[in-house]
């Protein structure tokens, strides 16, 4: 895959995966917490949403597509993780009930605990490794148009020796 294609796919993944990961994580955490608090039972749908968001997060952090994907996701998660800190300073950033009840419960839990900030910083740091910016393709090896140079130790004495083997037994 060419470097240009890697970066284009990285931008697409960086724009599509973080909102899907966030929605899945917030729904899973919120559903699991509400079900556990109200009926003291597991929410298999919530747990499967958490696992799915973990798989998508691992793909975003470790893929060979492009570090642009993890950088865009990291910046988004970091910005969302900073919101509770800004709101503690008295600046109201998010309106009340901007998400459905289950997802808002999950967002508040993940954001207030600092997990969103952790995920965002982790993705930004992962995107800074220089090996992620290089292509994984093999380097081209160019062969010379002529054959290898003859050995200076070969016993070649002239054109009359051309039919005999180069080495003696």
């Amino acid at each position: 895959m060419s470097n240009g294609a890697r970066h284009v796919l990285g931008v697409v993944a960086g724009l599509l995966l973080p909102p899907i990961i966030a929605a899945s994580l917030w729904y899973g955490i919120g559903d699991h917490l509400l079900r556990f608090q109200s009926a003291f039972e597991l929410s298999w749908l919530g747990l499967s949403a958490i696992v799915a968001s973990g798989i998508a997060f691992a793909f975003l952090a470790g893929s060979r597509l492009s570090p642009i994907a993890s950088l865009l996701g990291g910046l988004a998660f970091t910005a969302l993780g900073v919101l509770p800190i800004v709101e503690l300073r008295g600046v109201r950033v998010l309106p009340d009930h901007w998400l459905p009840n289950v997802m808002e419960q999950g967002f508040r839990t993940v954001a207030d605990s600092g997990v969103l900030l952790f995920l965002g910083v982790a993705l930004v740091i992962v995107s800074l490794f220089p090996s992620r910016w290089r292509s994984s393709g093999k380097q081209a090896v160019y062969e010379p148009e002529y054959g290898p140079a003859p050995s200076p130790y070969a016993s070649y004495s002239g054109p009359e020796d051309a039919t005999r083997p180069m080495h003696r037994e």
Side-chain angles (χ1 to χ4, degrees), residues 5-137:
R6 269 183 359 106
H7 291 306
V8 168
L9 289 174
V11 168
V12 171
L15 292 175
L16 293 180
L17 279 180
I20 293 170
I21 292 169
S24 175
L25 183 66
W26 298 343
Y27 176 80
I29 297 268
D31 189 48
H32 180 67
L33 279 178
L34 291 176
R35 175 83 52 96
F36 191 75
Q37 289 172 352
S38 65
F40 200 66
E41 60 185 26
L42 293 176
S43 167
W44 292 107
L45 181 62
L47 289 175
S48 62
I50 293 169
V51 168
S53 64
I55 291 169
F57 181 82
F59 176 75
L60 192 64
S63 74
R64 285 291 300 166
L65 284 179
S66 172
I68 294 174
S70 57
L71 183 65
L72 290 175
L75 293 175
F77 281 128
T78 302
L80 288 171
V82 169
L83 289 180
I85 298 168
V86 171
E87 286 186 347
L88 281 176
R89 297 286 183 192
V91 178
R92 190 76 179 152
V93 179
L94 296 173
D96 290 333
H97 307 296
W98 65 288
L99 290 170
N101 188 28
V102 172
M103 288 182 71
E104 188 160 356
Q105 175 72 28
F107 169 74
R108 286 291 169 197
T109 301
V110 175
D112 291 342
S113 66
V115 172
L116 276 180
L117 187 61
F118 170 79
L119 294 176
V121 170
L123 283 177
V124 168
I125 296 301
V126 161
S127 66
L128 296 180
F129 290 113
S131 63
R132 297 262 333 250
W133 291 95
R134 283 182 287 230
S135 162
S136 67

Side-chain angles (χ1 to χ4, degrees), residues 148-169:
S151 171
Y153 304 109
S155 62
Y156 180 75
S157 62
E160 65 277 351
D161 256 0
T163 59
R164 287 191 297 166
M166 294 293 280
H167 63 286
R168 295 188 184 155
E169 297 174 9

